Amino acid sequence: MISYRSLACIAAIGGIISCGRVQSTAPSRVDPALAAGIASADSLIREAVGQLVPGAVFLVSQDGRVVHERAFGYAQLNDYEGHRLASPPAMRTSTMFDLASVTKVMATTVATMVLVDRGQIELDAPVWRYLPDFRGAHLDSITVRHLLSHSAGVVQWQPLYYHASNAAQTYGVIRDMPLQWGVGDARHYSDLGFMLLGDIIERVSGQRLDAFLDQNLYRPLGLRSTTFNPKGHGFTEFAATEQGNVYEKHMVYDSTFGYRYLGDPTAWNGWRQYVLSGEVDDGNSYYANGGVAGHAGLFSTAADLRVLLDLLNNRGSYGGKQYIRPEVVDAFLTRDKYQNYLGWQAPSYLPAGSFSHTGFTGTYVAGVPRSKLSIVLLTNRQNMGTDARGYFPDVGPLQQAVARAIANGAARSP
């Protein structure tokens, strides 16, 4: 890959920085300890721009009030061949991001919460109650809870688009696929399990996943920039991801890279050959599910995501309205025997009770109920390209350091 000079951002008057424009909201009154944590987090993100990521949007909310919102760097830095653009578009706080696996919590998990709240889904009911043809010696014992806790034994990932081109076909492929582990034996993170949850939501509600969420949660909450297939809804401002599906193609063709595909890699060749912007990067969502799936496909902004985090921090209440009963939220955010939550991950680097999730494109969300904090850090790391081994920059340490800085600052506040 091309080696780019460091683009570490140095703040200047008016928000202009050396690697692009920093856009931020008007400052709010913040406790000095939390303000120091925010300043530390901002510094970490500025240093990462141009080295790990082309750009980022960072937002912090406390007790339902946005206390910090800032955009850094660029929405797209590189073209399809990995060359830097002559005039890269600036990142803005209104830029929409492909959330990747953050879809699992901000779409599928919250939709399941709503249906559990209404008594239409039971967590310990077998999957076949909702998907009647999901039957078999081992399938019969899989429950909704197993899917939410990634303990159903379902295969973690396979390129389903080699065998399916629509949602119905995709479901059939997953249903007929042998389990990889014993049901309930351990936690094995599975995209396919969350695709099944999306199928359950659609079967129970009688609506496609995107329509159900829009009607029952997103629009009532006032979310204007949270949707699947955003180009079809008229949105135009996106953070670009990778140059085609280079990473997934590598996964399919190289049995030592990620997950092993046992089929013939040359049997399908529909790979996209352009910079992905406003199209979901995940192949199983885009090629096999039309962009709407339980594991990936949701696009959103930092401002919208903080509303959903605030909703959970406030045990299902937002803007004076109870959307989900507190006991349902508590049931989902109680640690299970795998030391995680239903849908959500339990981050060891944040105070007890905190919940978080990451997305492969470089997205991150976290809630810290103890301090009523909502933390959103969205990056477009994939547009930096891959290294010599084929991997994208690792933003995990940055995400954790930023979240710790905010949580520690809030903890020092009186």
Side-chain angles (χ1 to χ4, degrees):
M1 296 299 297
I2 296 172
S3 175
Y4 299 108
R5 65 181 178 83
S6 171
L7 297 177
C9 307
I10 302 173
I13 296 174
I16 304 299
I17 55 177
S18 62
C19 65
R21 180 177 295 275
V22 167
Q23 181 196 22
S24 60
T25 57
S28 302
R29 291 183 60 85
V30 183
D31 178 86
L34 178 57
I38 290 171
S40 176
D42 271 359
S43 179
L44 291 168
I45 298 168
R46 285 197 300 268
E47 187 175 340
V49 169
Q51 301 182 56
L52 285 177
V53 299
V57 176
F58 175 47
L59 184 148
V60 179
S61 169
Q62 186 173 44
D63 201 17
R65 179 175 65 99
V66 175
V67 296
H68 185 71
E69 185 179 23
R70 177 165 289 184
F72 302 80
Y74 303 110
Q76 179 180 344
L77 187 62
N78 296 325
D79 65 15
Y80 176 69
E81 296 180 338
H83 301 135
R84 184 173 175 181
L85 298 175
S87 300
M91 188 73 78
R92 295 161 51 89
T93 55
S94 56
T95 300
M96 294 178 71
F97 284 75
D98 174 355
L99 300 183
S101 282
V102 171
T103 300
K104 292 180 173 71
V105 289
M106 293 309 203
T108 308
T109 299
V110 292
T112 306
M113 283 182 174
V114 170
L115 291 171
V116 169
D117 181 75
R118 296 176 180 177
Q120 294 178 265
I121 288 180
E122 293 181 18
L123 291 174
D124 293 310
V127 170
W128 60 258
R129 179 185 296 181
Y130 309 109
L131 303 174
D133 60 344
F134 193 81
R135 303 302 300 265
H138 301 291
L139 302 186
D140 284 357
S141 61
I142 297 177
T143 66
V144 174
R145 188 184 297 274
H146 284 133
L147 296 177
L148 284 163
S149 61
H150 295 280
S151 63
V154 177
V155 171
Q156 293 180 288
W157 180 87
Q158 283 289 288
L160 302 179
Y161 39 89
Y162 271 67
H163 312 280
S165 58
N166 58 55
Q169 293 174 358
T170 299
Y171 165 70
V173 172
I174 298 173
R175 181 198 59 210
D176 297 338
M177 191 177 292
L179 297 182
Q180 192 166 357
W181 298 276
V183 178
D185 285 354
R187 185 180 190 274
H188 298 283
Y189 186 88
S190 173
D191 278 3
L192 276 62
F194 264 73
M195 290 183 217
L196 289 172
L197 282 168
D199 293 326
I200 291 172
I201 292 163
E202 293 186 352
R203 187 71 63 91
V204 170
S205 69
Q207 295 179 282
R208 204 169 72 165
L209 179 63
D210 54 346
F212 175 80
L213 282 160
D214 189 56
Q215 180 178 324
N216 293 276
L217 205 60
Y218 296 161
R219 273 192 291 167
L221 285 169
L223 307 187
R224 298 180 179 179
S225 302
T226 303
T227 186
F228 293 81
N229 289 323
K231 286 184 176 178
H233 296 279
F235 293 100
T236 59
E237 185 182 354
F238 308 107
T241 54
E242 65 175 312
Q243 292 80 12
N245 277 126
V246 175
Y247 193 91
E248 279 195 30
K249 186 174 183 180
H250 193 169
M251 289 171 67
V252 172
Y253 276 78
D254 185 348
S255 63
T256 67
F257 187 78
Y259 303 101
R260 187 179 182 187
Y261 177 55
L262 299 177
D264 176 11
T266 65
W268 182 87
N269 192 32
W271 307 105
R272 285 171 284 181
Q273 304 290 327
Y274 48 87
V275 174
L276 306 182
S277 180
E279 291 181 7
V280 59
D281 175 74
D282 183 273
N284 280 328
S285 179
Y286 182 81
Y287 301 120
N289 285 283
V292 181
H295 73 296
L298 190 67
F299 283 71
S300 190
T301 61
D304 274 9
L305 293 175
R306 79 90 186 169
V307 172
L308 292 166
L309 289 169
D310 285 355
L311 175 75
L312 298 179
N313 271 328
N314 209 33
R315 299 179 70 210
S317 174
Y318 183 81
K321 180 178 178 180
Q322 195 75 41
Y323 290 87
I324 305 168
R325 285 178 291 127
E327 53 266 36
V328 173
V329 177
D330 293 346
F332 275 72
L333 294 180
T334 297
R335 280 187 186 242
D336 57 24
K337 67 179 182 179
Y338 311 107
Q339 296 306 304
N340 274 285
Y341 305 122
L342 297 183
W344 290 90
Q345 298 159 347
S348 59
Y349 52 89
L350 292 177
S354 300
F355 52 95
S356 68
H357 211 286
T358 60
F360 188 71
T361 50
T363 54
Y364 175 84
V365 292
V368 185
R370 178 179 294 183
S371 303
K372 290 292 183 74
L373 284 172
S374 297
I375 303 168
V376 182
L377 176 59
L378 306 177
T379 75
N380 52 346
R381 68 160 185 157
Q382 289 180 302
N383 193 243
M384 288 297 292
T386 57
D387 62 19
R389 300 175 303 158
Y391 293 99
F392 293 114
D394 181 8
V395 294
L398 172 66
Q399 294 165 343
Q400 295 183 22
V402 165
R404 279 198 304 269
I406 300 304
N408 292 341
R412 291 192 298 267
S413 300

